[in-house]
Amino acid sequence: HFIISAALELLSEQGMSLAIGEFKELMDRGKGGSGYSFVDLAADMSGTEFARVATEPSTALRVQNAVARIQSELEIIPPIDGLPEGLSKQAFTEQYLRVDSEAYLKEVKEIKRRMGLLPLYQP
């Protein structure tokens, strides 16, 4: 999820990789899918942000230096403990209704908060 989202961010119109990641998770809710996963969404969001900071002229050098010293995925993907995953379409709808609901946006905000604690994504 991380690598694909980073690549999509670099190859597509800005902002499309997160939309693609969310769409993929929505598809996973269906029969035979693994279920909606905020864990996967955290990886998608991290990959998108990584591509952004790695290619932004004002942060690229800092990111390159940081990447050279990375020793754990926890330095590029936020902690995933407590993030909901494996939600069926019914469970997702019961809990979140849709992707623009307050409950859903609260989960996304929590992922962003966790990402903001990682030095790599701090301004």
Side-chain angles (χ1 to χ4, degrees):
H1 288 267
F2 178 90
I3 296 295
I4 297 298
S5 291
L8 286 170
E9 184 68 15
L10 293 174
L11 298 173
S12 69
E13 291 183 34
Q14 195 171 21
M16 286 301 297
S17 63
L18 181 56
I20 292 168
E22 273 186 325
F23 178 74
K24 189 254 184 227
E25 290 308 315
L26 290 169
M27 296 301 295
D28 281 350
R29 301 175 311 166
K31 186 175 181 177
S34 59
Y36 196 97
S37 172
F38 284 94
V39 171
D40 289 352
L41 189 61
D44 294 336
M45 291 171 67
S46 298
T48 299
E49 185 64 6
F50 180 83
R52 190 191 69 73
V53 298
T55 58
E56 175 67 35
S58 64
T59 56
L61 184 58
R62 177 181 60 83
V63 170
Q64 290 170 19
N65 289 327
V67 167
R69 295 184 304 275
I70 287 178
Q71 296 182 7
S72 167
E73 67 184 24
L74 294 175
E75 295 178 63
I76 59 173
I77 299 174
I80 57 172
D81 55 301
L83 294 177
E85 63 177 328
L87 300 170
S88 67
K89 186 173 186 175
Q90 180 179 346
F92 180 90
T93 302
E94 287 173 3
Q95 192 164 354
Y96 300 103
L97 300 175
R98 56 193 186 281
V99 295
D100 62 349
S101 72
E102 187 176 322
Y104 180 87
L105 295 175
K106 183 179 176 185
E107 296 287 356
V108 172
K109 185 177 179 180
E110 173 59 16
I111 294 169
K112 288 180 181 179
R113 183 193 71 76
R114 293 178 186 197
M115 285 175 48
L117 296 174
L118 300 176
L120 190 64
Y121 304 126
Q122 293 176 357

